[in-house]
Amino acid sequence: MSSTASAYVKAFLAAVIWGASFVATKTALREVSPFTVLALRFGMGVIVLSFAVWRLKVFRSVTPHELLWLALLGAIGILTHQALQVSGLAVTAATSVAWLVTLTPVFTAILAWLFLHETFGAFKILGLVIAFAGAFAVITQGVLSLDVLRLPSTAGDFLALASSLNWAIFSVASKPMLRRMHPTLMVTLVMAFGWLMVLPVFVGAQGLSEISRLSLTGWAAIGFLGLCASGFAYIFWYDALARLDAAQTVAFLYVEPLVTLVVAAIVLNETLTPVAFIGGLTILLGVYLVNRSSTRRATVSDEPSGIPVASD
């Protein structure tokens, strides 16, 4: 297999793993609380990524300023992001979360326009309107009534939306560090800081006592999240990015919600309404239009700031 073909396979596998991770999280949440899932998941992820840093020989000393910045990124990208997403998954459908988190490139484009002075042309504006129209359809399920706001699933959908915005903030804030540090090393250190921040909440919430409640299915779900979603998928993703341009790699992220849809139907028996499906596809269309010019510029300039920071 050629290096390019191998990169395509790795990008696809990363997208499939992240798509299935929403279902694995919801499965684990049936047995333990959110911060127990996060503590176990990211503890495993740090081990896998640390091994990758050692194998790639990309470790280097880090300045105090970089350590402070990495700690801030850990607070945003691990502690806050995952707390929002896991809390949302506890009360809404895995498929809804998967659709809504694909809005991250839209939020990223808005933040890049506001703070990095990147252009926001007609295609992006059109994509913005279309994407948020799709999000509205997913959240309301086509029911135009204030009663929708009182449903627990609606609160979960808004938490997923907040996690998407939060990850966009993380993506923009990560760009300076990605210019200075190998991506695998950066992700490992960010995850390590985030995990250390999760631990006090985990211990304070008596998370240690919950571990004994995990069944074989629960451990399988957490093992998948820790080893695959927080470990191997990141390695696959950044290895693919090293061989493919940004536009080619970003296209695989559109696979994520479709994988979630299939796996959630099989594992969780989730049913998808026609309105939610159309809304989800509308989100993807909007994201495509917003992302189109950004990935084009990243391909032409080969600028590290154009590289997407992956997420599950």
Side-chain angles (χ1 to χ4, degrees):
M1 184 183 295
S2 68
S3 60
T4 302
S6 175
Y8 278 121
V9 171
K10 288 178 179 178
F12 178 75
L13 286 175
V16 169
I17 290 170
W18 285 327
S21 71
F22 298 107
V23 177
T25 300
K26 200 160 179 68
T27 300
L29 286 171
R30 290 174 169 175
E31 301 184 13
V32 293
S33 62
F35 277 93
T36 300
V37 174
L38 297 183
L40 295 175
R41 169 184 178 171
F42 289 109
M44 294 178 189
V46 168
I47 293 171
V48 174
L49 290 176
S50 297
F51 179 74
V53 167
W54 174 72
R55 283 295 300 269
L56 294 170
K57 296 180 173 61
V58 294
F59 182 79
R60 68 166 177 81
S61 59
V62 182
T63 67
H65 174 75
E66 288 174 332
L67 276 176
L68 185 62
W69 195 251
L70 289 165
L72 177 62
L73 291 175
I76 298 170
I78 302 298
L79 178 63
T80 305
H81 175 70
Q82 290 295 335
L84 288 169
Q85 197 171 100
V86 172
S87 299
L89 278 164
V91 292
T92 194
T95 307
S96 295
V97 174
W99 287 127
L100 292 169
V101 298
T102 58
L103 284 166
T104 295
V106 176
F107 287 124
T108 303
I110 294 171
L111 293 173
W113 171 63
L114 290 173
F115 298 106
L116 302 180
H117 308 294
E118 293 188 7
T119 58
F120 207 95
F123 268 114
K124 284 190 175 183
I125 293 172
L126 177 61
L128 176 71
V129 173
I130 291 173
F132 281 112
F136 180 79
V138 169
I139 293 171
T140 64
Q141 297 290 314
V143 178
L144 302 179
S145 169
L146 291 177
D147 291 337
V148 173
L149 297 176
R150 288 191 277 271
L151 296 174
S153 61
T154 303
D157 291 339
F158 278 115
L159 286 170
L161 208 57
S163 78
S164 181
L165 172 59
N166 180 78
W167 192 261
I169 294 170
F170 172 77
S171 300
V172 173
S174 296
K175 287 182 178 183
M177 194 60 71
L178 280 170
R179 295 191 188 102
R180 303 166 59 178
M181 186 176 290
H182 191 281
T184 303
L185 176 60
M186 190 205 82
V187 170
T188 303
L189 293 174
V190 166
M191 190 176 293
F193 274 115
W195 177 63
L196 290 173
M197 293 173 192
V198 166
L199 285 181
V201 185
F202 163 67
V203 174
Q206 306 299 315
L208 286 169
S209 63
E210 289 189 338
I211 293 177
S212 61
R213 288 169 18 198
L214 281 167
S215 67
L216 186 60
T217 300
W219 274 115
I222 288 176
F224 175 81
L225 289 169
L227 301 177
C228 298
S230 296
F232 299 129
Y234 278 97
I235 297 169
F236 292 160
W237 180 256
Y238 284 111
D239 191 46
L241 273 175
R243 291 170 172 78
L244 304 173
D245 62 52
Q248 291 172 308
T249 314
V250 166
F252 285 98
L253 292 180
Y254 298 109
V255 173
E256 278 190 45
L258 303 177
V259 171
T260 305
L261 189 157
V262 173
V263 178
I266 296 171
V267 177
L268 303 174
N269 294 317
E270 285 189 4
T271 56
L272 184 68
T273 65
V275 171
F277 184 67
I278 293 170
L281 293 182
T282 303
I283 290 174
L284 294 186
L285 173 60
V287 170
Y288 167 75
L289 292 174
V290 169
N291 227 28
R292 189 174 134 178
S293 57
S294 299
T295 51
R296 233 178 232 172
R297 280 201 312 278
T299 302
V300 172
S301 65
D302 198 28
E303 173 65 32
S305 65
I307 294 175
V309 180
S311 164
D312 61 313

